[in-house]
Amino acid sequence: MMSSWWMAPVSLWLQLGLVGAWIGLIGLSAEWLYRTKLASPEVVRKVVHIGVGNVILLAWWLQTPAWLGISASIAFSAIAFLSYRFPILPGINGVGRKSLGTFFYAVSIGLLIGYFWTIEQPEYAVLGVLVMTWGDGLAALVGQRFGKHPYTLWGIQKSWEGSFTMAIASFIVSSSILVNVQGNIWQSWIISLAVALWATGLEAFSKFGIDNLTVPLGSAAVAFLLSTLLFLG
């Protein structure tokens, strides 16, 4: 009994320590880049976007309990929302435009963990978060740097280069997770393609940063529903 009592707190504290250390490293790196002006504010924002999103992999690997992930999501959602009004996170929100994207991002992680962790299928939460993490992050960077062919959708300007990057990154993320979980079978590849196309469409509408909510939730939902239909069928 003493052994099990001792191991549970150590395991939980280890999880908190690893996640906290990772987020702290990302935060310090972002602030350093922002203050030294070695990178533009938008690049700094995407460094945080990609870095923080990968915490979901730690949570999956460490089998972090759902309540802990949800609690962290609530805390970061509150901080992100307050920073929208006050200069709490200048390195993240100093891009010269008002957006609730960071807030939506934190909320989406909490919602995905809250649902898929409780039904013991965390891979779909991981898929949704990482599609947003890598797909949207890389699409923005590529679009701004190499976007030579713009298009306008619902009053929002995007580039074909950025959207193509979103589709490729989303497909790579989805297939990597699904092939690892489901196996190297045709269903995994078809579902990954569907997720990539759906996520790219959702990302095209990013007004007010709403894509930080619709892309992860929509990607996870499509992967989960298609997996259920194809494997039950």
Side-chain angles (χ1 to χ4, degrees):
M1 291 181 64
M2 182 176 297
S3 176
S4 61
W5 176 87
W6 175 254
M7 288 302 294
V10 169
S11 178
L12 183 59
W13 283 113
L14 176 61
Q15 293 180 43
L16 288 171
L18 289 173
V19 171
W22 177 255
I23 292 177
L25 178 62
I26 295 300
L28 289 174
S29 300
E31 284 302 313
W32 179 73
L33 288 171
Y34 177 71
R35 294 182 186 280
T36 58
K37 301 187 183 302
L38 291 176
S40 69
E42 184 64 24
V43 170
V44 173
R45 188 168 178 268
K46 291 307 176 182
V47 167
V48 175
H49 176 96
I50 294 173
V52 171
N54 283 287
V55 168
I56 196 72
L57 285 172
L58 273 177
W60 190 19
W61 173 52
L62 296 171
Q63 298 182 1
T64 299
W67 68 264
L68 183 57
I70 295 170
S71 298
S73 170
I74 292 173
F76 283 111
S77 297
I79 294 172
F81 186 77
L82 289 174
S83 71
Y84 178 74
R85 301 294 301 274
F86 308 102
I88 298 175
L89 301 172
I92 299 176
N93 295 300
V95 295
R97 57 182 171 83
K98 285 290 186 179
S99 171
L100 285 170
T102 306
F103 169 73
F104 289 137
Y105 193 28
V107 169
S108 69
I109 293 174
L111 291 174
L112 289 173
I113 289 177
Y115 182 72
F116 288 108
W117 248 247
T118 55
I119 65 171
E120 298 183 352
Q121 297 194 67
E123 62 270 17
Y124 297 107
V126 176
L127 183 150
V129 173
L130 291 186
V131 163
M132 186 63 202
T133 296
W134 288 101
D136 178 77
L138 294 177
L141 294 176
V142 169
Q144 290 169 16
R145 179 66 178 84
F146 303 104
K148 305 299 183 184
H149 301 86
Y151 67 91
T152 301
L153 189 63
W154 298 307
I156 302 169
Q157 183 168 306
K158 295 285 184 177
S159 72
W160 287 109
E161 291 85 354
S163 293
F164 181 73
T165 300
M166 176 70 187
I168 294 299
S170 299
F171 180 76
I172 292 173
V173 166
S174 301
S175 59
S176 297
I177 294 171
L178 294 178
V179 168
N180 179 64
V181 174
Q182 299 173 349
N184 186 13
I185 52 179
W186 67 268
Q187 290 95 330
S188 298
W189 298 103
I190 291 296
I191 295 169
S192 298
L193 178 60
V195 168
L197 295 175
W198 183 245
T200 302
L202 292 173
E203 193 272 339
F205 183 78
S206 56
K207 199 167 188 178
F208 308 118
I210 193 65
D211 58 320
N212 284 267
L213 186 65
T214 58
V215 169
L217 297 184
S219 299
V222 166
F224 177 67
L225 292 174
L226 287 180
S227 295
T228 301
L229 290 172
L230 291 176
F231 284 102
L232 285 181

